[in-house]
Amino acid sequence: ALGLVVEPSAADQAAAVAPVDAQWWTALGDSHLNQLVETALADGPSLKVAEARIRKAWAMAQVSEAADGPQVNGQATANRNHAPANGLIPPPIAGNNYSTAEARINGSWSLDLFGKHRAALDTAVGSARAAQADRDAARVLLASNVVQAYVQLARWQAQETVAERAIAQREHTLKLVRDRYSAGLDTTLEVRQSESGVPEARVQLEQVREQKHLAQNALAALVGQPGNGQSLQAAPIASLKLPQFPQQLSASLLGRRADVVAARWRVEAADRSIAEAKAEFYPDINLTAFIGLSSIGFNNFAKGNAREWGVGPALSLPIFDSGLLRANLRGKSADYDVAVEGYNQAAINAVHDVADQIASARSAYAQLPEQRKAADAAQSALDIANQRYAAGLGTYLNVLSAETNVLAQRRQSVDIEARILQTNAALAQALGGGYSDPEPSAAAIDTAASQKKAS
């Protein structure tokens, strides 16, 4: 039995609505982002590898299905031979050259009385469904990574604008301080202090631009366009719609994660492989038949007395194999234990992932209103400083000093908004990204056949 069970019940599946839309990123309201995600999902090399694995897995399922059906094959041979004079072949052929010809159609049908072929087919189907779930998990992860990289790029673009304004503000401050020094209102100390601010701001700008370029490269790699990284631009982060934090989350939603579903299918496949290994202990019963022509001498090949045929059952029973079958069964049982623990670990990771993302999202959402209050207060102080300067009650240095706090608050606001958007993408991924596990179908091999035709 599985140590952890997070599969949604039948009632949950019938009544619950997935809280994550399959195209959840469209809620951010950015058509350019939508296009990038679609490009990544269409052309991603990792997804193409996953698709190839699915085709291979379904092909293996077809191989297993074919073993349960009748097999017919034909063969034909024609030889020119020399018989030894003192061999087993009697005169008049002995010591002479002779010809042989044979054409035969053979048929066989393995009667799956003990379910070996059926178990092998179920194992292959389970592996194919696990491969499909792996592909879907890769799609969810890729979409989340593209959104997070895009948000990161938008963040650094916004920080670049703030950093450029900070340089202009500090250069203006330095000019005013120098003017005050020339007028005898400030000392060399104030000038030196102001001079250090300009290169410091330029260093910060270069650091921001480095991070922006790295974000562009990461996004370009995710969408499969590594040569176009520096041309990628994100929409202003303020234009992206901040999502609402979900008020209710059910633990049963973890069963919608593709990685958990893939682990479950591996358990199913491993369980059926045990049944296949047990069936190896029982006899194989085959029905065999053949019909054809066989003759010595090419001139006799087409004559009626060259016909041959045969039909009958064939029994194959393992009697002594030096422990081979038991060792195979123990190996399959160990594979099942590995699959079960893999499922348990996937469930634990899912719970951990969701808990982490919920904690981060709640913290980011709680910080946002407080940050907005701080930003409003800083802007209000700047407005007051501008009014006092206009009225001749303050200096422009007071205005620039107030603007410094405004720029700092803008940096904080950008970081928190980006954090909300990124945790939303990570939470959407943690909750399954809108994945829906297809119901097992009795026509699984029909699906396999269609997959083969499509390939």
Side-chain angles (χ1 to χ4, degrees), residues 74-426:
Q75 64 182 41
T77 60
N79 295 292
R80 184 66 176 170
N81 310 283
H82 177 78
N86 299 316
L88 295 176
I89 300 176
I93 297 178
N96 296 308
N97 297 329
Y98 70 100
S99 302
T100 60
E102 183 178 69
R104 178 182 293 183
I105 296 177
N106 301 297
S108 65
W109 187 14
S110 177
L111 303 180
D112 192 25
L113 300 181
F114 301 102
K116 180 172 69 174
H117 297 322
R118 183 65 209 180
L121 176 59
D122 291 342
T123 300
V125 169
S127 297
R129 290 190 176 277
Q132 285 181 317
D134 284 336
R135 184 271 317 275
D136 293 331
R139 288 177 60 86
V140 172
L141 177 61
L142 180 57
S144 177
N145 287 343
V146 170
V147 173
Q148 293 188 61
Y150 187 85
V151 171
Q152 190 74 336
L153 176 57
R155 173 197 174 194
W156 291 117
Q157 287 177 180
Q159 294 290 20
E160 182 181 32
T161 300
V162 175
E164 289 172 346
R165 176 55 194 161
I167 291 177
Q169 186 255 1
R170 292 191 184 186
E171 287 176 342
H172 197 169
T173 300
L174 177 59
K175 181 179 181 302
L176 289 178
V177 171
R178 284 175 174 170
D179 291 343
R180 288 173 60 85
Y181 173 76
S182 299
L185 300 176
D186 279 333
T187 67
T188 306
L189 174 62
E190 284 78 10
V191 174
R192 291 301 184 189
Q193 287 176 336
S194 297
E195 286 177 343
S196 67
V198 175
E200 180 185 7
R202 289 173 179 166
V203 168
Q204 292 175 351
L205 176 60
E206 288 303 318
Q207 291 174 341
V208 168
R209 285 176 174 170
E210 176 194 5
Q211 295 302 318
K212 186 188 80 168
H213 292 329
L214 293 178
Q216 287 175 319
N217 294 338
L219 182 59
L222 288 170
V223 300
Q225 300 173 357
N228 299 329
Q230 301 309 310
S231 65
L232 291 176
Q233 296 293 323
I237 196 166
S239 69
L240 299 176
K241 296 179 182 178
L242 293 180
Q244 296 295 320
F245 185 73
Q247 298 300 315
Q248 293 182 344
L249 295 173
S250 172
S252 65
L253 297 176
L254 299 181
R256 299 177 185 269
R257 284 176 55 122
D259 56 342
V260 175
V261 172
R264 187 198 72 194
W265 277 113
R266 289 191 177 91
V267 172
E268 296 284 346
D271 178 64
R272 297 310 300 158
S273 69
I274 292 177
E276 180 185 359
K278 289 180 179 179
E280 294 283 356
F281 288 88
Y282 298 99
D284 289 332
I285 301 176
N286 297 326
L287 294 179
T288 63
F290 71 90
I291 185 172
L293 300 172
S294 179
S295 70
I296 297 178
F298 294 147
N299 58 332
N300 297 322
F301 181 70
K303 295 181 179 179
N305 55 7
R307 290 177 297 179
E308 61 175 352
W309 60 271
V311 63
L315 177 67
S316 175
L317 176 66
I319 297 176
F320 180 74
D321 60 7
S322 298
L324 175 63
L325 294 180
R326 292 191 178 278
N328 181 55
L329 178 58
R330 288 194 296 270
K332 298 298 184 182
S333 298
D335 289 341
Y336 176 78
D337 293 338
V338 170
V340 168
E341 296 308 321
Y343 176 89
N344 292 340
Q345 189 61 56
I348 291 172
N349 292 342
V351 174
H352 182 197
D353 189 12
V354 171
D356 280 354
Q357 301 309 328
I358 289 176
S360 295
R362 283 176 175 165
S363 176
Y365 277 97
Q367 294 172 39
L368 184 60
E370 302 301 324
Q371 177 57 39
R372 285 175 173 169
K373 291 178 183 177
D376 291 342
Q379 184 62 47
S380 177
L382 177 60
D383 294 339
I384 293 173
N386 277 312
Q387 292 170 5
R388 286 176 58 83
Y389 174 72
L393 301 176
T395 67
Y396 199 70
L397 280 176
N398 298 131
V399 175
L400 294 175
S401 178
E403 187 183 15
T404 298
N405 191 28
V406 170
L407 294 176
Q409 295 304 323
R410 285 180 184 173
R411 293 190 188 96
Q412 291 279 25
S413 297
V414 167
D415 287 344
I416 291 177
E417 289 177 1
R419 182 63 179 157
I420 288 176
L421 291 166
Q422 288 184 309
T423 54
N424 177 73

Side-chain angles (χ1 to χ4, degrees), residues 25 31-45 47-48 139 142-143 146 219-226 228 232:
W25 55 87
S31 59
H32 182 44
L33 172 59
N34 298 343
Q35 182 180 3
L36 289 175
V37 174
E38 291 171 2
T39 300
L41 296 181
D43 301 329
L47 296 184
K48 291 182 179 180
R139 288 177 60 86
L142 180 57
V146 170
L219 182 59
L222 288 170
V223 300
Q225 300 173 357
N228 299 329
L232 291 176

